[in-house]
Amino acid sequence: MIDELAWTEYRRRVVDERQPVLIPLGALEQHGPHMSMNPDVVIPSAISGAVARNIGALVAPAFAYGAKSQQKSGGGNHMCGTTSLDGHTLSLALKDVLKEFGRHGVRRIAVINGHYENLPFATEGVELAIQELKWSGIDDFRVIIISYWDFVTQETIKKVFPDDFTGWDVEHGGILETSLMLHLKPEMVDMSLAPIQAPAKFPPYTVFPPIPEWTPESGCLSSPAAATAEKGQILFDVTVAGISEALKHEPWWQPS
């Protein structure tokens, strides 16, 4: 963890050893009555730590606030407890942090995303950082953005969702996140409060401001009742292995 190092040790690792940096990118967002509001930070942070140990990287402090929750993927920004940044604020904050790492001597960064709505704004922040670093003469700075759920294999989906997989778009507060939290932070989950409900159904368009009645009362977009710590272990292991392997075999990720 970068923030636990003395600055001299940090400098040695990023300048002399050329260690890459992983940045967990999360959000503060309601995840149903059965679970804490920090899964989007806890999960990518834990994955980042495990991947860092596999590939010899450092982990930066996580972004604890994310882009606005959208109704069809996170229940909506009208939900109490969900505390969000404007998209351009997130882009500029990430840009500034990336530029600082570039100034320190870091040249390879992986942004490990745990909140779907962050993606377009993270992309903008990365592109702005690379552009501005080039203006200062740093033209070998590289960033990869990874959303951990993209590394859940079809084989794993069959194990975790043996009956029916309704798709990632309604997994908010559902089996995936709840199982991972049962594995990583079981004290933050109360399965006696897990709602039993049908997956949310939305029309093929988005209305602004959101219509609160469209979001299930629980805030979950599908039922987490079938979540288990064992499923969480399977999900954690496959995502850590997949991300580690991807970074190990990405040619530009290796120091020249």
Side-chain angles (χ1 to χ4, degrees), residues 95-113:
K95 179 203 73 170
D96 286 349
V97 169
L98 291 172
K99 286 173 60 183
E100 286 293 275
F101 283 134
R103 178 177 64 82
H104 301 161
V106 178
R107 291 297 179 265
R108 295 165 295 144
I109 289 183
V111 176
I112 309 298
N113 181 42

Side-chain angles (χ1 to χ4, degrees), residues 113-214:
N113 181 42
H115 179 63
Y116 175 78
E117 289 89 339
N118 284 340
L119 282 170
F121 306 106
T123 300
E124 176 73 0
V126 167
E127 291 181 337
L128 289 173
I130 290 173
Q131 172 181 272
E132 294 184 20
L133 285 169
K134 284 183 177 179
W135 293 344
S136 61
I138 298 173
D139 60 4
D140 58 347
F141 186 78
R142 300 288 184 272
V143 181
I144 184 170
I145 300 176
I146 293 171
S147 292
Y148 72 84
W149 51 84
D150 288 334
F151 285 82
V152 178
T153 63
Q154 288 300 314
E155 180 182 358
T156 302
I157 288 174
K158 291 178 182 178
K159 291 179 181 178
V160 175
F161 303 92
D163 299 323
D164 183 34
F165 178 55
T166 54
W168 296 131
D169 53 340
V170 291
E171 258 303 298
H172 178 75
I175 292 172
L176 172 86
E177 291 178 305
T178 304
S179 293
L180 281 164
M181 288 295 285
L182 284 169
H183 169 57
L184 296 169
K185 295 285 185 180
E187 69 275 14
M188 295 183 179
V189 183
D190 183 351
M191 289 303 290
S192 70
L193 299 176
I196 299 174
Q197 62 185 63
K201 293 184 178 180
F202 298 103
Y205 50 83
T206 302
V207 174
F208 297 94
I211 300 171
E213 293 75 22
W214 285 8

Side-chain angles (χ1 to χ4, degrees), residues 38-58:
N38 61 355
D40 291 355
V41 176
V42 169
I43 296 169
S45 294
I47 290 171
S48 294
V51 170
R53 288 188 287 273
N54 286 344
I55 67 172
L58 297 171

Side-chain angles (χ1 to χ4, degrees), residues 55-74:
I55 67 172
L58 297 171
V59 180
F63 275 71
Y65 298 93
K68 292 186 184 71
S69 175
Q70 297 301 312
Q71 190 164 35
K72 293 167 67 175
S73 54

Side-chain angles (χ1 to χ4, degrees), residues 245-256:
E245 286 302 306
L247 293 176
K248 285 179 182 178
H249 292 99
E250 187 64 39
W252 66 263
W253 184 260
Q254 309 309 319
S256 57

